[in-house]
């Protein structure tokens, strides 16, 4: 039996894939509020843009029932390498599984997500994730 998605990669591995593969696409599956208030990745030095497709809808947190269709409109080629990002790597894992089940060949989950796991004081942004890895990001 094959895995339900291509697997977990670190933020630095994601950056390396985005650097080396001109067709690889990063999809941020967080909510509109997170994109606006917490920040987003910045791929401008790679001359790329990331895609924003909510896994859960804001407000309310209801599952985006058209997630796969929304991605398919933006990335119609199922052989495109997809790198999924959320806050800490949970929603993005489910998104990678859903897209793999829909026929996309290579869907990675970026472990630790954008902000990472909680530290001992229950704060994010200190343990792991895109920001902790020192990768480019922007706010506002």
């Amino acid at each position: 039996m094959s895995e339900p998605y291509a697997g977990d990669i670190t933020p630095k591995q994601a950056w390396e894939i985005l650097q080396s593969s001109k067709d690889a696409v990063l999809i941020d599956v967080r909510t509109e509020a997170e994109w606006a208030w917490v920040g987003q990745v910045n791929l401008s030095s790679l001359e790329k843009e990331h895609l924003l497709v909510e896994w859960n809808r804001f407000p309310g947190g209801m599952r985006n029932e058209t997630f796969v269709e929304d991605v398919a409109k933006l990335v119609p080629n199922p052989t495109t390498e997809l790198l999924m990002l959320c806050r800490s790597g949970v929603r993005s894992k489910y998104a990678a599984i859903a897209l793999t089940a829909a026929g996309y060949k290579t869907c990675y989950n970026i472990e630790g997500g954008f902000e990472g796991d909680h530290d001992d004081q229950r704060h994010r942004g200190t343990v792991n994730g895109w920001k902790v890895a020192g990768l480019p990001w922007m706010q506002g």
Side-chain angles (χ1 to χ4, degrees), residues 36-137:
W37 299 104
V38 179
Q40 298 180 34
V41 301
N42 183 348
L43 305 181
S44 62
S45 68
L46 303 178
E47 297 181 1
K48 289 187 174 202
E49 291 186 15
H50 61 290
L51 302 178
L52 305 173
V53 183
E54 288 181 311
W55 177 255
N56 293 328
R57 298 265 186 216
F58 179 83
M62 299 300 295
R63 170 93 161 74
N64 175 3
E65 296 298 331
T66 62
F67 176 81
V68 171
E69 293 83 2
D70 295 347
V71 171
K73 288 176 191 169
L74 298 168
V75 186
N77 183 349
T79 64
T80 301
E81 201 169 15
L82 301 179
L83 293 77
M84 312 306 295
L85 179 78
C86 69
R87 178 186 62 204
S88 60
V90 176
R91 286 173 285 174
S92 51
K93 179 178 178 177
Y94 290 119
I97 291 169
L99 290 169
T100 300
Y104 283 88
K105 304 297 179 215
T106 309
C107 301
Y108 292 107
N109 172 47
I110 301 174
E111 62 187 8
F114 187 69
E115 293 182 86
D117 297 316
H118 286 117
D119 63 17
D120 292 341
Q121 270 105 39
R122 309 250 334 125
H123 298 149
R124 294 187 189 275
T126 62
V127 176
N128 58 358
W130 187 273
K131 291 165 70 173
V132 171
L135 295 170
W137 66 283

